[in-house]
Amino acid sequence: MADRGNASVSARKLPRQARAAALIAAVLDAAVQVLRAEGAARFTTARVAERAGVSVGSLYQYFPNKAAILFRLQSDEWRRTAELLHSILADVAVPPPVRLRRLVHAFLVSECEEAQVRVALGDAAPLYRDAPEAAAAREDGTRIIGAFIDEALPGVDPARRRLTAALIEDTMTQVGSSFSQTDRTAAEIASYAEAMADMFVAYLDGVTQTVGGQRGCSLASLPT
């Protein structure tokens, strides 16, 4: 069977038995190993099946093509990122600047830990990025950041809040990708995260002050 791209990147069926779930787990683990060893350009279903110790036919029962495997890896990464965002940003007992600093640091750590696989998935993105499933999978992170900005900037025009949320999400994504391409020490990550968080907090504080000093409190005055 030719290993070609396909408009659909969804799994063919969901595992209903432990044995099937174990097969899928083995395929995904093997896929990560192939990505690390071969990169996106040499990633094929045949290599994944061989590394997983299963037949290509068994693999195709659950993944119709290599794009479906890569999309599953990417969507799992997006899900983990959304869970990270929610665990930090949804904690309303913590002041917004503190949450933002924690998020930036945790995000950079996460980016650096799996940089090799993330780069390979980025190289493979053309295979799945235009699929409807991809747009839906990306929405959670955007929604969580948007909700945080709505809370942090309640007096700001909705359009400005959306712009602010997009700026923070895009900056973290692009900077995290670039920063993680070089091996980093824990001290380097902490220092870089602190500097980027300073930038974000200062920007949010500027937006807050622009809409009126009558609120009597800026983000910068909150504990960090």
Side-chain angles (χ1 to χ4, degrees), residues 71-152:
F71 175 70
R72 170 61 185 268
L73 294 177
Q74 180 64 83
S75 59
D76 283 351
E77 191 276 324
W78 283 330
R79 175 183 52 76
R80 289 190 295 269
T81 298
E83 290 172 352
L84 175 69
L85 291 171
H86 184 267
S87 68
I88 296 173
L89 295 183
D91 187 359
V92 296
V94 177
V98 179
R99 278 180 271 165
L100 195 51
R101 290 184 185 281
R102 290 177 180 174
L103 173 65
V104 172
H105 183 267
F107 182 79
L108 287 184
V109 169
S110 175
E111 288 287 295
C112 290
E113 285 178 345
E114 291 295 331
Q116 190 176 16
V117 172
R118 291 175 195 271
V119 169
L121 284 173
D123 292 341
L127 291 171
Y128 56 76
R129 66 185 174 195
D130 296 327
E133 300 97 321
R138 287 191 296 261
E139 288 177 358
D140 278 349
T142 298
R143 177 182 53 78
I144 293 167
I145 293 176
F148 169 74
I149 294 300
D150 287 345
E151 177 209 339

Side-chain angles (χ1 to χ4, degrees), residues 32-54:
V32 170
Q33 294 178 42
V34 171
L35 271 180
R36 285 176 172 158
E38 306 286 351
R42 291 175 55 80
F43 185 93
T44 65
T45 53
R47 285 190 173 92
V48 172
E50 181 180 10
R51 184 68 64 95
V54 302

Side-chain angles (χ1 to χ4, degrees), residues 146 149-150 153-166 207 211:
I149 294 300
D150 287 345
L153 303 175
V156 175
D157 178 81
R160 183 66 182 275
R161 294 201 303 264
R162 289 193 296 271
L163 174 64
T164 300
V207 173
V211 298

Side-chain angles (χ1 to χ4, degrees), residues 145-218:
I145 293 176
F148 169 74
I149 294 300
D150 287 345
E151 177 209 339
L153 303 175
V156 175
D157 178 81
R160 183 66 182 275
R161 294 201 303 264
R162 289 193 296 271
L163 174 64
T164 300
L167 182 148
I168 290 176
E169 181 178 10
D170 292 345
T171 301
M172 280 205 311
T173 300
Q174 296 301 321
V175 171
S177 176
S178 175
F179 180 75
S180 63
Q181 289 181 22
T182 300
D183 289 340
R184 305 289 183 176
T185 65
E188 287 175 325
I189 294 173
S191 177
Y192 204 90
E194 188 68 15
M196 187 156 67
D198 283 344
M199 179 179 67
F200 287 152
V201 171
Y203 179 78
L204 292 184
D205 189 53
V207 173
T208 300
Q209 294 185 40
T210 298
V211 298
Q214 71 274 15
R215 295 170 61 186
C217 178
S218 67

